[in-house]
Amino acid sequence: MLLDKTVMVITVDGKKYSGTLSGIDPDTLSLSLSDAKDEQGTATHKLILNGKVLGQIFTIEKPFDLKALSERLEKVFPTMVKLYEDQGFIWVMEKIKVTEKGVVEGSGPIAERVNRVYSLFVKEAAAK
């Protein structure tokens, strides 16, 4: 869920790193950060952190509100919207798939309408 998000990592010895979470090993909990910076601002293209040194990891950016988008879409397409929040997408009319990146499956006039609702939703969220 945090993959490709901007995160802050604090190691067990208190060092702080920020960057885009580009990979994670589920067995060792080691992770890689792209475009990473340490607390002094030193930039690194790719930083690999061993899972044994990780103390905390949290997102820096506000997460995309899929539930609010599904509620907005429900107003336009009553009873035709299904939210799969745990999987990170919304189905509209069982043929248009919407994620935090916009319409990723489906085409035609309905997909265009869904994309307009999505674009307006993103624009309003950015203005807040």
Side-chain angles (χ1 to χ4, degrees), residues 2 8 12 21 31 33 50 70 73 75 84 88 92 95 97 100 102-103 109 112 120-121:
L2 294 177
M8 170 73 72
V12 292
L21 182 61
L31 54 85
L33 297 178
N50 187 309
S70 72
L73 288 166
K75 292 177 183 176
Y84 295 91
V92 179
K95 56 177 127 181
K97 188 175 187 178
E100 66 182 56
V103 174
E112 291 171 14
L120 183 60
F121 178 82

Side-chain angles (χ1 to χ4, degrees), residues 15-16 27-28 30-32 54 64 74 76 91 96 106 108 123 126:
K15 294 180 182 173
K16 296 179 183 177
D27 296 327
T28 64
S30 297
L31 54 85
S32 66
L54 299 179
F64 189 83
E74 183 72 31
V76 179
W91 268 120
I96 310 298
K123 185 178 178 181

Side-chain angles (χ1 to χ4, degrees), residues 9-44:
V9 176
I10 302 175
T11 63
V12 292
D13 59 356
K15 294 180 182 173
K16 296 179 183 177
Y17 302 95
S18 63
T20 303
L21 182 61
S22 55
I24 188 160
D25 180 343
D27 296 327
T28 64
L29 295 181
S30 297
L31 54 85
S32 66
L33 297 178
S34 298
D35 302 318
K37 290 185 181 178
D38 64 14
E39 50 199 321
Q40 285 80 36
T42 305
T44 306

